[in-house]
Amino acid sequence: MTNHPIIKRGYYGDFGGQFIPEMLRRNFEELEKAFNEAWADEAFRKEYLELMRDFVGRPTPLQKAERWSERCGVEIWFKREDLAHTGAHKINNAVGQVLLAHRMGKSHIIAETGAGQHGVATATACAWAGLPCTVFMGADDMKRQKPNVERMRLLGAEVRAAKTGSMTLKDATNEAMRFWIANPTDTHYVIGSAVGPHPYPMMVAEFHRIIGEETMTACARLDLKPTHLVACLGGGSNALGLFLPYIDQEIALVGVEAGGESLDSGRTAATIEKGSPGILHGAKTMVLQDGEGQIQEAHSVSAGLDYPGIGPLHAHLAAVGRLQTEAVSDTEALKAGMLCTRLEGILPALETSHALAWTLKAEWKGDELVLLNLSGRGDKDLETYINDHGRHV
Amino acid sequence: MTNHPIIKRGYYGDFGGQFIPEMLRRNFEELEKAFNEAWADEAFRKEYLELMRDFVGRPTPLQKAERWSERCGVEIWFKREDLAHTGAHKINNAVGQVLLAHRMGKSHIIAETGAGQHGVATATACAWAGLPCTVFMGADDMKRQKPNVERMRLLGAEVRAAKTGSMTLKDATNEAMRFWIANPTDTHYVIGSAVGPHPYPMMVAEFHRIIGEETMTACARLDLKPTHLVACLGGGSNALGLFLPYIDQEIALVGVEAGGESLDSGRTAATIEKGSPGILHGAKTMVLQDGEGQIQEAHSVSAGLDYPGIGPLHAHLAAVGRLQTEAVSDTEALKAGMLCTRLEGILPALETSHALAWTLKAEWKGDELVLLNLSGRGDKDLETYINDHGRHV
Amino acid sequence: MITDDMSDIFKRLMHADDVNLSVFLTAGYPNMTACGHLIELLARHPAVSFVELGMPFSDPLADGPTIQRASEIALKQGTRLDDVLSLSKQFRSICDKPLMLMGYCNPVYRRGVERFVKEARAAGASGLILPDLPYESYSRDFAEALGQEGLSMSFFVSPTSTKEGIERAFETSTAFVYGVANVGLTGDIPSMDRGDFFRGLQNHRARCPIVAGFGIATPEDVNGLTGLVDGAIVGSAFLRALEPKNESMLDTTSIVQRAEDFLEPFNLNLK
Amino acid sequence: MITDDMSDIFKRLMHADDVNLSVFLTAGYPNMTACGHLIELLARHPAVSFVELGMPFSDPLADGPTIQRASEIALKQGTRLDDVLSLSKQFRSICDKPLMLMGYCNPVYRRGVERFVKEARAAGASGLILPDLPYESYSRDFAEALGQEGLSMSFFVSPTSTKEGIERAFETSTAFVYGVANVGLTGDIPSMDRGDFFRGLQNHRARCPIVAGFGIATPEDVNGLTGLVDGAIVGSAFLRALEPKNESMLDTTSIVQRAEDFLEPFNLNLK
Ligand SMILES: Cc1ncc(COP(=O)(O)O)c(C=O)c1O
Ligand SMILES: Cc1ncc(COP(=O)(O)O)c(C=O)c1O
């Protein structure tokens, strides 16, 4: 709910807010109201949950990773979001928001995308709903992620190149916002992670809460008492989805950021570790910026973590010491992803490989019980893995 | 069970049998015995079912395809095998056989693969089990399906090129058999469809029976009374998986073959429609052959249907009139696949698109209720779809 | 609500019969040298009543393509906040026309609000326009500092603004209310009836002048608003006029010439 | 169990002290013309006691790479069952050595078992070897026809054969039992102790001769089996010797020459 105790007037502690132009204010008021109503409405929840089950394939398994556990020296279970329709948790939010947009009478969906995962998820939800969809994507990303561009087109979406700035995710987000400013009444903007102005961060998190809820149910069935929840941090949606129901419990929350080439190389995406408070895409959060307050480009081998901001809820949780953040380098992530493939028969998304890599290098006593959000499958990253594999063989 | 009433001494009606060299006879005796014992053993079933749930992500949904139904003029539900781990039903059999091999004390797994789906599934199951795996693949197919080759390698499997004959699936199967002849004691051969000598066809079908069983359970919950089961026919495993529990009920079973360029072009894979009884890969079944009894190459846009034989159980069911076979051309399948993507937000495997295409062109009265096995996802076929899309836009 | 301090500066605007022309210029565009000449031109130009000086930002999400690109070019050339301030100083050394610094929150917060406001005042700026600044942040972080330094602040109203939003803008703005003359972004093609929108704001006008912006490109656009607004900002159209289309258009003289050519027709507005 | 008819033909094999050499040749390989000369060579060659003539098949799953490739080449050149039969006829016109037709079930079934057996008999063949033919199919489809025409059939025993499997092979075979001298495929490198295997079969030998095959390449291989088997089949090694390695090795004379060269050392086996 966007009236969660954590929220005060659109802020999560010191972070969050709505740093938006007046032209969008009505949209945000409308959206917050509509989401709160929908989320409190049994019928809406039922429709959402049925879609999660029948279209998305939920619940996803909670699987003991036998060989991975052995390698890490601690018991680790995977929450298998890689098995969700379109290959990652992203679809939960896309479906949720498209349902909401439909309920609000919106006739056009827009979204931003970096590597294309959220774009594909949104285009998928729109195809299902029969709603026209426009996805903004950095012109550079479009070149790098051609197959996902084509996939969105097959799904009936229009893909528009963002040709400004670094021509990547950050700029695609700007373009989507601009389009929304220009088309405020009929359009809904489906943000792809727990970022942006309130109520997006909490709303996106709520649409992913099902990850944590299923995990709790499975733990109860299996009589597991987890001590650690681990997830990678891009914008923070898969992490929050897992963490949300556990937030008031005594359990360690670990968010693994993309260290990029290395934390001190300047080529990093470790926003909490290396960033500072700032305002980006309408919210106050931790951002990578220079002394002038210009947002810097993020760098990660993983396109889904390659974002110079982070959801404001994470910024808050980290600031108050509730969230432990860790960073993992490109090389560590690649290695971990390939090791997981060989040991568990699961090719993880490069984003996920960051979380995996941390469990490999963390110091465990051995009596912990770790639940790791296996946020997505790595089919999209096959080429990157292969090229890296080739380099090392 | 391999002692199903349909089976008489390894024959399914007139089809089946064990046309194998003496060097493999002991293996087949062992295998049949081991499978019958395992399948009757609660503990084995439990382990298999737990893996189906926790590793594979079962049960897969049975989803009403609203917009597809509307387009076809009849109510159609999709059994969502595309959501199974690695993207198709194939994993059910791979996991089942690898478990069985493990139980038999085998220390090496081999498999054949065409497009790579079964190879990836087997390599995946082997990675999970920690068993070495060798996948035979036609040298031509290896070139065409490079990403799947790399994926198998990332999974730790060795991929061996079959350089004989047409250098495709049929030849990879020969090579796998030959390797098994040369290494009969420590190796288990995981066949990828309901083909080959007894007990493979029935064993593979049994490992896929879970598809039909889940469907029955879902139908009971939803109070659905299906009149038609529809599936594409490659070797026949996804179809049998769905059909098996329904076989004695009053319900139409429709198997859709790959017509290729056209049924009469000679470039087809419609084995039942255009073939004749013959012996291939150790079983008597319907095969594409010339007047001399030489096996002919099959042709289909879909690599997974591109096989000049068919499971002997299907040959039998078709011969006795229990199975209705239909054929769909390359073009019809491509179109149907793209339409499904746009209407339902599901990019189907090209194999599956054949089943979809038939529901588009079949004459429905409108009061039927159709369950279609959505056997796999089309990520692997993206390029083919895109090229075709490009041609028509 | 216009403050006492600002009343002096903007009094002229409110009581003019014609629409006062304001020009928007991105600091550091097309380069610092040319920009220095341009700010002087604007300071001296009789058609120009006041100026918006854009503070370039990496992620200007409320701007259209032209202003985005101008920001990008300025940043690529290394334009810093200090450069913005020195352009303001240069402007103030020539004229006493109002000069508003327009930009996004983050660079300002990064500098420190108090420090920035002091520096802006020292550089002769009249006020700030920060389209992504929420009212709460304004009250908490800006109001006092601005008041102390006698700087003003403008907020926006747009065709999608609620009644409360309009009320709040006129209540809080201390220079003028920025009326979005277009559903869309700066520089976009008009897609609404401007007259209707501004007619609806007239009963607020007594409290605070209205300046129209977004999509205003020609003297006709400006004159079309006569009687409805106190000023009109031309931004993207001006920047587009400066864009060098070939090699020979790169030198400063040629850039300034194009600016003059662009402003020429607006002279007709002058009585 | 050797039949009366066959006893004549294979009597010699059973009572010889030395191991009888049999050569395997794929019909139509390396082409029909050369193959005709080769079959004549084998018919006349003193070192060769009997011959296996391979009937090429598209999917020879019990064969190693050399024989596979030979089949493939023969088929590509259009070799048909009729060509196989005419080679058999040609052989029979020269000598009365046994000639076994070796192949896979499907082409035989496709022709019709009865028709094929009649044709084979007419072409002078002595019997059939079909490695993928199950015993049940043999009993149901072949036994009677073969008996009527006086053709024999050989079944296999291998190191993985069960006791029952061995029993059945010696019980059912009417020419000789084909003993797989290798765990592996025709042409593979030896990977087992042949002696052990064949010693284990000696108590069956009275019922039916044993001929060793798979992986037999040299006179030493053949001689190494003395006392253990009645014959030995050289297949892949012979075909490999025929393979043209360059242009000049393509003509028939050169091919036949290489066959003679290959067989030459086996003459030493002759008393
Ligand atoms: C599989 C996967 N995991 C994680 C992420 C990171 O995003 P978030 O932090 O919002 O979960 C992405 C983003 O594309 C993703 O595709
Ligand atoms: C998704 C999918 N469906 C169907 C098939 C056809 O095989 P079968 O008839 O054994 O289900 C394949 C084979 O690769 C496949 O990948």
Side-chain angles (χ1 to χ4, degrees):
Chain A
M1 296 274 198
T2 64
N3 46 22
H4 190 276
I6 224 173
I7 305 175
K8 288 228 171 61
R9 311 192 66 221
Y11 276 82
Y12 320 116
D14 233 20
F15 297 95
Q18 293 183 323
F19 293 78
I20 51 171
E22 173 67 16
M23 297 79 98
L24 284 177
R25 198 155 304 274
R26 188 195 284 258
N27 288 32
F28 276 86
E29 282 171 15
E30 241 180 56
L31 179 62
E32 182 169 2
K33 190 157 162 283
F35 173 67
N36 280 336
E37 277 172 18
W39 211 228
D41 176 355
E42 277 305 316
F44 180 83
R45 288 253 195 178
K46 186 160 170 283
E47 196 179 359
Y48 163 78
L49 287 172
E50 278 177 9
L51 270 172
M52 287 297 112
R53 186 190 60 201
D54 300 339
F55 184 53
V56 174
R58 306 202 70 94
T60 61
L62 183 68
Q63 181 203 354
K64 181 157 180 199
E66 298 275 1
R67 300 177 75 208
W68 191 259
S69 298
E70 206 175 294
R71 182 60 70 111
C72 293
V74 68
E75 187 172 330
I76 301 187
W77 293 66
F78 291 163
K79 176 62 176 162
R80 297 287 305 278
E81 293 300 297
D82 62 306
L83 294 175
H85 185 39
T86 67
H89 68 290
K90 296 273 171 194
I91 189 79
N92 302 331
N93 169 51
V95 166
Q97 285 199 47
V98 166
L99 265 191
L100 181 63
H102 188 72
R103 180 185 165 104
M104 290 170 75
K106 301 285 179 178
S107 59
H108 184 193
I109 299 294
I110 61 171
E112 89 292 344
T113 199
Q117 286 307 105
H118 173 59
V120 168
T122 306
T124 295
C126 288
W128 175 86
L131 280 175
C133 176
T134 304
V135 179
F136 294 87
M137 191 169 184
D140 266 15
D141 285 341
M142 281 180 71
K143 271 184 234 150
R144 285 187 292 197
Q145 312 282 343
K146 198 134 185 52
N148 268 343
V149 173
E150 297 297 347
R151 186 181 311 228
M152 289 185 263
R153 288 183 176 147
L154 281 184
L155 286 158
E158 179 203 6
V159 184
R160 283 211 202 164
K163 291 183 183 155
T164 53
S166 53
M167 305 198 203
T168 60
L169 174 57
K170 166 173 101 55
D171 313 285
T173 308
N174 292 333
E175 287 304 332
M177 285 279 190
R178 284 171 190 138
F179 183 92
W180 206 16
I181 292 172
N183 303 274
T185 46
D186 60 344
T187 303
H188 174 70
Y189 174 21
V190 178
I191 284 191
S193 190
V195 299
H198 181 74
Y200 277 110
M202 193 44 108
M203 178 172 77
V204 172
E206 285 295 328
F207 283 133
H208 285 300
R209 175 193 282 273
I210 193 167
I211 301 172
E213 280 173 352
E214 288 173 6
T215 305
M216 273 195 159
T217 306
C219 283
R221 174 172 58 80
L222 296 158
D223 198 23
L224 297 179
K225 308 258 175 297
T227 61
H228 289 70
L229 303 180
V230 183
C232 64
L233 293 182
S237 66
N238 88 85
L240 271 180
L242 177 62
F243 297 169
L244 222 47
Y246 286 94
I247 225 158
D248 298 322
Q249 303 199 1
E250 206 177 306
I251 191 169
L253 309 178
V254 185
V256 185
E257 296 196 303
E261 292 182 9
S262 83
L263 269 189
D264 298 315
S265 64
R267 297 180 61 80
T268 180
T271 319
I272 296 180
E273 294 279 307
K274 301 302 290 182
S276 51
I279 293 147
L280 175 63
H281 294 144
K284 182 173 176 199
T285 185
M286 298 296 280
V287 299
L288 297 176
Q289 57 184 330
D290 65 13
E292 290 276 304
Q294 306 295 348
I295 307 304
Q296 294 184 293
E297 277 183 53
H299 288 281
S300 167
V301 68
S302 151
L305 303 183
D306 203 354
Y307 180 67
I310 177 74
L313 254 150
H314 287 288
H316 167 64
L317 294 173
V320 300
R322 179 70 189 93
L323 172 69
Q324 172 185 350
T325 54
E326 301 284 348
V328 147
S329 73
D330 289 350
T331 315
E332 289 170 323
L334 281 161
K335 269 200 196 142
M338 287 187 275
L339 190 61
C340 176
T341 308
R342 270 208 317 287
L343 290 181
E344 293 290 342
I346 301 169
L347 175 68
L350 257 175
E351 291 79 12
T352 312
S353 294
H354 286 74
L356 288 164
W358 180 73
T359 62
L360 273 180
K361 71 175 185 181
E363 280 177 26
W364 301 109
K365 279 184 289 168
D367 59 355
E368 300 94 340
L369 199 155
V370 182
L371 308 187
L372 183 148
N373 201 0
L374 209 121
S375 57
R377 60 170 129 99
D379 300 46
K380 64 188 182 62
D381 301 311
L382 195 57
E383 221 178 291
T384 313
Y385 282 122
I386 291 165
N387 289 345
D388 188 72
H389 194 58
R391 246 199 318 280
H392 296 295
V393 173
Chain B
M1 297 275 198
T2 63
N3 46 21
H4 189 277
I6 224 173
I7 305 175
K8 290 231 169 62
R9 311 191 67 222
Y11 276 83
Y12 319 116
D14 233 18
F15 298 94
Q18 294 184 321
F19 293 78
I20 52 172
E22 173 65 16
M23 296 80 96
L24 283 178
R25 198 154 305 274
R26 188 196 283 259
N27 287 31
F28 277 86
E29 282 171 15
E30 244 179 54
L31 179 62
E32 181 167 6
K33 193 159 160 281
F35 173 68
N36 280 337
E37 278 172 17
W39 211 226
D41 176 353
E42 279 303 317
F44 180 84
R45 287 253 194 178
K46 187 162 168 282
E47 195 179 359
Y48 163 78
L49 287 173
E50 278 178 8
L51 270 172
M52 288 295 113
R53 185 190 61 199
D54 300 338
F55 184 54
V56 174
R58 307 203 69 94
T60 60
L62 183 68
Q63 180 203 355
K64 182 158 180 199
E66 297 277 1
R67 301 177 73 206
W68 191 259
S69 298
E70 205 174 294
R71 182 61 69 111
C72 293
V74 67
E75 186 171 330
I76 301 187
W77 292 65
F78 292 163
K79 176 62 176 160
R80 297 286 304 277
E81 293 301 296
D82 61 307
L83 294 175
H85 187 38
T86 68
H89 69 289
K90 295 272 171 195
I91 189 77
N92 302 330
N93 169 50
V95 165
Q97 285 200 48
V98 166
L99 265 190
L100 181 64
H102 188 72
R103 180 184 164 107
M104 291 171 75
K106 301 286 180 179
S107 59
H108 185 191
I109 299 293
I110 60 171
E112 89 292 343
T113 199
Q117 286 307 103
H118 173 60
V120 168
T122 306
T124 294
C126 287
W128 174 85
L131 281 174
C133 175
T134 304
V135 179
F136 294 87
M137 190 168 184
D140 267 16
D141 284 341
M142 280 180 72
K143 269 185 236 151
R144 283 185 293 195
Q145 312 281 342
K146 198 134 185 51
N148 268 343
V149 173
E150 297 297 347
R151 187 181 311 230
M152 289 185 263
R153 288 182 177 150
L154 281 184
L155 287 159
E158 179 203 7
V159 183
R160 284 213 200 162
K163 292 182 181 156
T164 52
S166 54
M167 304 200 205
T168 59
L169 174 58
K170 163 172 106 49
D171 312 284
T173 308
N174 292 332
E175 286 304 333
M177 286 277 191
R178 283 170 191 139
F179 182 94
W180 206 16
I181 293 172
N183 303 273
T185 46
D186 60 345
T187 303
H188 174 68
Y189 175 21
V190 178
I191 284 190
S193 190
V195 301
H198 181 73
Y200 277 111
M202 194 42 109
M203 179 173 76
V204 172
E206 285 295 329
F207 283 133
H208 284 300
R209 176 194 280 272
I210 193 167
I211 301 171
E213 280 173 353
E214 287 174 5
T215 306
M216 274 195 158
T217 305
C219 283
R221 173 171 59 80
L222 296 158
D223 199 23
L224 298 179
K225 308 256 176 297
T227 61
H228 289 70
L229 302 180
V230 183
C232 64
L233 292 181
S237 66
N238 89 85
L240 270 180
L242 177 63
F243 297 168
L244 221 46
Y246 287 94
I247 225 156
D248 298 323
Q249 303 198 1
E250 206 177 306
I251 189 168
L253 309 179
V254 185
V256 185
E257 296 196 304
E261 290 181 11
S262 82
L263 269 188
D264 298 316
S265 62
R267 296 182 60 80
T268 180
T271 320
I272 296 178
E273 293 279 306
K274 301 302 289 183
S276 51
I279 294 146
L280 175 62
H281 295 143
K284 182 174 176 197
T285 186
M286 298 297 280
V287 298
L288 297 177
Q289 58 184 329
D290 66 13
E292 289 276 304
Q294 306 293 350
I295 307 304
Q296 293 183 295
E297 277 183 55
H299 287 281
S300 167
V301 69
S302 152
L305 303 182
D306 201 356
Y307 180 69
I310 177 76
L313 253 150
H314 287 288
H316 167 63
L317 293 173
V320 300
R322 178 70 188 91
L323 172 70
Q324 173 185 350
T325 55
E326 301 284 347
V328 147
S329 74
D330 289 350
T331 314
E332 288 169 324
L334 280 162
K335 268 202 196 140
M338 287 188 274
L339 190 60
C340 176
T341 308
R342 267 208 320 287
L343 290 182
E344 293 290 342
I346 300 169
L347 176 67
L350 257 174
E351 292 80 12
T352 312
S353 294
H354 285 75
L356 287 164
W358 180 71
T359 61
L360 273 179
K361 72 176 186 182
E363 279 177 28
W364 300 109
K365 278 183 288 166
D367 59 355
E368 300 94 339
L369 197 154
V370 182
L371 307 187
L372 182 147
N373 201 359
L374 207 119
S375 57
R377 61 170 128 99
D379 300 47
K380 65 187 181 63
D381 301 312
L382 194 57
E383 220 177 293
T384 313
Y385 281 123
I386 290 166
N387 289 345
D388 189 72
H389 193 57
R391 245 197 319 279
H392 295 296
V393 173
Chain C
M1 159 93 49
I2 198 159
T3 63
D4 281 352
D5 267 10
M6 293 315 298
S7 60
D8 279 348
I9 303 177
F10 285 99
K11 205 169 286 168
R12 234 180 346 174
L13 301 180
M14 292 188 67
H15 297 117
D17 285 340
D18 285 325
V19 176
N20 287 282
L21 176 68
S22 173
V23 172
F24 173 92
L25 173 65
T26 299
Y29 180 81
N31 57 57
M32 265 307 282
T33 318
C35 199
H37 285 81
L38 290 168
I39 203 85
E40 287 191 12
L41 172 68
L42 297 179
R44 299 212 158 90
H45 203 287
V48 177
S49 302
F50 62 111
V51 162
E52 258 74 30
L53 183 60
M55 304 186 283
F57 180 52
S58 52
D59 294 81
L61 63 73
D63 285 308
T66 309
I67 300 182
Q68 284 168 49
R69 257 181 44 104
S71 276
E72 221 176 302
I73 290 169
L75 287 175
K76 263 203 197 109
Q77 314 215 3
T79 307
R80 304 168 57 95
L81 219 39
D82 286 342
D83 301 314
V84 179
L85 293 169
S86 75
L87 285 166
S88 169
K89 214 169 271 173
Q90 193 176 351
F91 182 82
R92 183 59 61 234
S93 71
I94 299 171
C95 72
D96 65 351
K97 297 177 187 174
L99 180 139
M100 301 293 280
L101 295 174
M102 190 158 174
Y104 291 80
C105 288
N106 196 51
V108 174
Y109 273 108
R110 184 72 173 163
R111 189 73 153 211
V113 174
E114 243 174 274
R115 176 178 162 198
F116 177 75
V117 170
K118 280 207 178 82
E119 290 174 340
R121 165 61 176 242
S126 320
L128 304 182
I129 307 176
L130 299 171
D132 63 345
L133 183 70
Y135 285 101
E136 304 90 65
S137 305
Y138 167 73
S139 313
R140 191 184 56 223
D141 304 329
F142 283 78
E144 198 184 318
L146 289 170
Q148 269 171 13
E149 300 296 330
L151 256 59
S152 63
M153 179 70 98
S154 278
F155 287 90
F156 287 75
V157 294
S158 97
T160 63
S161 291
T162 56
K163 241 181 115 187
E164 299 74 43
I166 293 171
E167 185 57 40
R168 197 154 51 164
F170 280 93
E171 181 63 31
T172 321
S173 295
T174 52
F176 52 80
V177 165
Y178 196 128
V180 175
N182 197 8
V183 182
L185 293 162
T186 56
D188 278 354
I189 297 143
S191 60
M192 56 171 263
D193 187 328
R194 285 181 188 145
D196 276 358
F197 171 54
F198 286 110
R199 265 189 291 281
L201 298 176
Q202 293 308 310
N203 55 335
H204 297 281
R205 204 171 156 199
R207 288 197 285 171
C208 191
I210 301 174
V211 173
F214 286 48
I216 312 264
T218 63
E220 292 71 43
D221 288 339
V222 176
N223 293 335
L225 293 168
T226 308
L228 293 171
V229 300
D230 301 288
I233 306 177
V234 175
S236 298
F238 179 64
L239 295 178
R240 262 197 303 274
L242 306 181
E243 265 176 33
K245 289 182 182 60
N246 57 49
E247 277 292 303
S248 71
M249 294 167 82
L250 273 169
D251 70 304
T252 304
T253 336
S254 133
I255 290 166
V256 174
Q257 183 60 53
R258 289 202 299 284
E260 283 187 40
D261 294 350
F262 178 82
L263 292 173
E264 174 62 29
F266 289 92
N267 277 320
L268 299 171
N269 277 5
L270 296 177
K271 279 189 277 241
Chain D
M1 159 90 51
I2 200 157
T3 61
D4 282 352
D5 266 10
M6 291 317 300
S7 62
D8 281 348
I9 303 178
F10 286 98
K11 202 170 285 167
R12 234 181 345 174
L13 299 180
M14 292 187 67
H15 296 116
D17 286 339
D18 287 324
V19 177
N20 287 281
L21 177 68
S22 172
V23 171
F24 173 92
L25 174 65
T26 300
Y29 179 82
N31 55 60
M32 267 307 282
T33 319
C35 199
H37 286 81
L38 289 168
I39 204 83
E40 285 191 13
L41 171 68
L42 297 179
R44 297 210 160 91
H45 203 287
V48 177
S49 302
F50 60 111
V51 162
E52 258 75 30
L53 184 60
M55 306 186 280
F57 180 51
S58 51
D59 294 81
L61 62 75
D63 286 308
T66 310
I67 299 182
Q68 284 168 47
R69 257 182 44 105
S71 275
E72 220 177 300
I73 291 169
L75 287 176
K76 263 202 199 108
Q77 314 214 3
T79 308
R80 303 169 57 93
L81 220 38
D82 286 344
D83 300 314
V84 179
L85 294 168
S86 76
L87 285 166
S88 168
K89 215 170 269 171
Q90 193 176 350
F91 181 83
R92 184 58 63 235
S93 71
I94 300 171
C95 72
D96 66 353
K97 298 177 188 176
L99 179 138
M100 301 293 278
L101 295 175
M102 188 158 173
Y104 291 80
C105 286
N106 196 52
V108 174
Y109 273 108
R110 184 72 173 165
R111 188 74 152 212
V113 174
E114 243 175 272
R115 174 176 162 202
F116 177 75
V117 169
K118 282 209 175 81
E119 290 173 341
R121 165 59 175 241
S126 320
L128 304 183
I129 308 176
L130 298 172
D132 63 343
L133 183 70
Y135 285 101
E136 306 88 64
S137 304
Y138 167 75
S139 314
R140 190 186 56 224
D141 304 329
F142 284 78
E144 198 183 320
L146 288 170
Q148 269 172 14
E149 300 296 329
L151 257 56
S152 64
M153 178 70 97
S154 278
F155 287 90
F156 288 74
V157 293
S158 96
T160 62
S161 290
T162 57
K163 241 182 115 183
E164 299 74 42
I166 293 171
E167 185 57 39
R168 197 153 51 163
F170 280 94
E171 181 64 32
T172 322
S173 296
T174 51
F176 52 79
V177 165
Y178 197 129
V180 175
N182 199 6
V183 181
L185 293 161
T186 56
D188 278 356
I189 298 143
S191 61
M192 56 170 265
D193 186 329
R194 286 180 186 146
D196 277 358
F197 172 56
F198 287 111
R199 265 189 293 279
L201 298 177
Q202 294 307 311
N203 57 335
H204 298 280
R205 203 169 155 199
R207 290 197 286 172
C208 191
I210 301 175
V211 173
F214 286 49
I216 312 264
T218 63
E220 293 70 43
D221 289 340
V222 176
N223 293 335
L225 294 168
T226 309
L228 293 172
V229 301
D230 302 288
I233 307 177
V234 174
S236 298
F238 178 65
L239 295 179
R240 261 197 304 273
L242 306 181
E243 265 175 34
K245 286 179 186 61
N246 56 48
E247 276 293 303
S248 71
M249 294 166 82
L250 274 168
D251 71 305
T252 305
T253 336
S254 134
I255 291 166
V256 174
Q257 183 59 53
R258 288 201 300 285
E260 283 188 40
D261 294 348
F262 178 83
L263 293 172
E264 175 62 30
F266 290 92
N267 277 322
L268 300 171
N269 278 6
L270 297 177
K271 279 188 277 242

